[in-house]
Amino acid sequence: TSTLTLAPGPDPDPNPNPDPSPNPNPKPAAMAAHEQNVLRSSWRGGLPVEVHLNAADVATPTPPEPIFLLLRRNSYLPVALKPAVEVFQEHVMELGAPELWFESEATVAHDGRTVTASLPLNWHVPAGVLYDVLSSGTRRPWRIIVHFHRLPVDKVPRCSDATMRSFFFNAVKQAIYIESGSVQSWFKLPVAQQDKFYQSLVEADSDLFLGPHSTVATPLQNLRAIPVRVLGCSPNPSPDPNPNPSPNTNPNWDDLQRFV
């Protein structure tokens, strides 16, 4: 039998039932440093891509060579592929306002065999998610085709710098609301700090992101819920009146987005 003897304290504790819960914010500086390291590591995730200009858009005697880039997984195609788009613009005839969109290949099942079909890419889905959904059977680097005309508006929404910026800010505000039940922290953020949020996405700069993020982020001890976006893609989600579609037909991919 072991006996534990406690030395008497200098004064009795006036609270006979102290709160047994631990300090909700131990070593805040060390915790912040650890969180920043995790965030920086996640921002470094990248995808090798091979970017081509659509052959039908070429207006020069010689088409441009493909461009190889490393896309950040948490970025979006209009932002991440901007260097390639700027090069390809020199080889495209101006036929009214350009309608920029991107295309890749998806592997689908057809008549008991695997076929490859072209697929317009949703610009409002992060590049890493797009690749993970479409990566089955695809090679590396990921091959992406840039189009400047004939946007398939029934499959891909139009995108501009203003649209991309607005979408990103709305996603940030939705996440803040889910975490804390309010978006006041965002509206109190100076416009210059809000601009840094978007600029960090454009430049893939996690350090630039950390400044405004630390102002609006909900402390862990006050977190109400974790914002999650669930995306599901499947060819022909609705009944197809044609039981034997052509292998070259673009699959009707659903973008099921909801916050949990």
Side-chain angles (χ1 to χ4, degrees), residues 158-234:
R158 285 185 171 87
C159 180
S160 64
D161 288 342
T163 305
M164 180 75 252
R165 183 186 178 92
S166 176
F167 168 79
F168 178 69
F169 283 161
N170 283 336
V172 172
K173 287 184 285 187
Q174 287 173 328
I176 292 173
Y177 181 81
I178 291 171
E179 289 182 349
S180 64
S182 170
V183 292
Q184 288 303 310
S185 61
W186 172 261
F187 291 114
K188 291 178 181 178
L189 196 67
V191 173
Q193 292 294 306
Q194 294 181 10
D195 290 340
K196 282 186 177 181
F197 248 120
Y198 186 69
Q199 197 62 27
S200 69
L201 179 74
V202 173
E203 300 179 7
D205 188 339
S206 59
D207 289 330
L208 189 61
F209 173 82
L210 283 170
H213 176 263
S214 62
T215 304
V216 300
T218 305
L220 288 177
Q221 62 270 24
N222 299 332
L223 200 64
R224 295 179 46 172
I226 298 175
V228 176
R229 171 167 284 167
V230 180
L231 299 113
C233 297
S234 60

Side-chain angles (χ1 to χ4, degrees), residues 55-75:
D57 288 332
V58 176
T60 54
T62 304
E65 294 292 328
I67 296 176
F68 295 83
L69 297 171
L70 183 68
L71 300 190
R72 297 300 181 188
R73 291 183 60 89
N74 63 343
S75 188

Side-chain angles (χ1 to χ4, degrees), residues 114-131:
T114 299
V115 298
T116 300
S118 61
L119 174 68
L121 299 175
N122 282 320
W123 57 262
H124 56 286
V125 179
V129 176
L130 285 172
Y131 177 77

Side-chain angles (χ1 to χ4, degrees), residues 21-71:
S21 61
N23 183 353
N25 193 22
K27 299 181 180 179
M31 180 181 292
H34 172 69
E35 291 175 350
Q36 291 179 13
N37 289 336
V38 172
L39 186 143
R40 288 190 180 98
S41 296
S42 67
W43 275 59
R44 283 196 293 267
L47 296 167
V49 295
E50 177 184 340
V51 190
H52 294 255
L53 174 61
N54 177 44
D57 288 332
V58 176
T60 54
T62 304
E65 294 292 328
I67 296 176
F68 295 83
L69 297 171
L70 183 68
L71 300 190

